[in-house]
Amino acid sequence: MDRLLVLPAQVAIPHGHRVEVIEQNDLLTEGPVVLAVVDLDTGIRYQRSDELHGDFTRWIGRVLECTVRIGGGGRTVLRVDPLGQGSAGAKGALHGADVAADAAKAEAGRWGGTDRPPVEEPERFW
């Protein structure tokens, strides 16, 4: 599954190059934020800040398409095909599964889950 990366800078990476992407999950923006992109074929590193801190994930992919907008601060849109089993996809899937499980528990509680008292059994006559 292709990933679409939008970078607030002019980053020209040719089609077919392998890249390493370092992302950090940001709870405020609903998704991962790209902290750095390393072109593994040329060795050029594009990074937001001097230090990488916090919880971040790394994955490797191959560039399928690169669009660079010129002027107005510039912007780059990269379409990348992840190679192998990336931890970013697994981490996102686990986060989504946790959210779904919590929602299912809340719904079960709302519709009569464990908060109801048990039904008393009637007396048996032999």
Side-chain angles (χ1 to χ4, degrees):
M1 183 171 140
D2 300 344
R3 300 274 313 266
L4 197 63
L5 306 175
V6 179
L7 306 170
Q10 295 177 348
V11 177
I13 301 177
H15 171 70
H17 277 218
R18 290 179 318 115
V19 291
E20 177 185 34
V21 179
I22 301 171
E23 295 179 319
Q24 182 175 28
N25 275 338
D26 189 4
L27 299 175
L28 300 176
T29 61
E30 295 183 12
V33 174
V34 177
L35 298 177
V37 175
V38 181
D39 185 344
L40 297 174
D41 294 336
T42 62
I44 298 174
R45 179 182 195 90
Y46 303 95
Q47 188 169 324
R48 282 184 182 254
S49 65
D50 293 334
E51 294 182 17
L52 298 177
H53 57 289
D55 184 30
F56 57 87
T57 58
R58 295 175 187 259
W59 54 276
I60 295 177
R62 187 167 304 279
V63 175
L64 299 176
E65 184 179 323
C66 178
T67 304
V68 179
R69 179 182 288 170
I70 300 171
R75 185 179 95 166
T76 302
V77 178
L78 287 174
R79 191 165 54 97
V80 180
D81 182 24
L83 301 174
Q85 300 292 337
S87 63
K91 190 175 263 188
L94 288 176
H95 176 69
D98 288 341
V99 170
D102 290 341
K105 286 179 188 176
E107 192 68 21
R110 209 173 308 131
W111 285 95
T114 60
D115 61 342
R116 290 188 178 177
V119 178
E120 294 183 22
E121 291 186 22
E123 286 187 38
R124 295 185 184 188
F125 297 103
W126 298 97

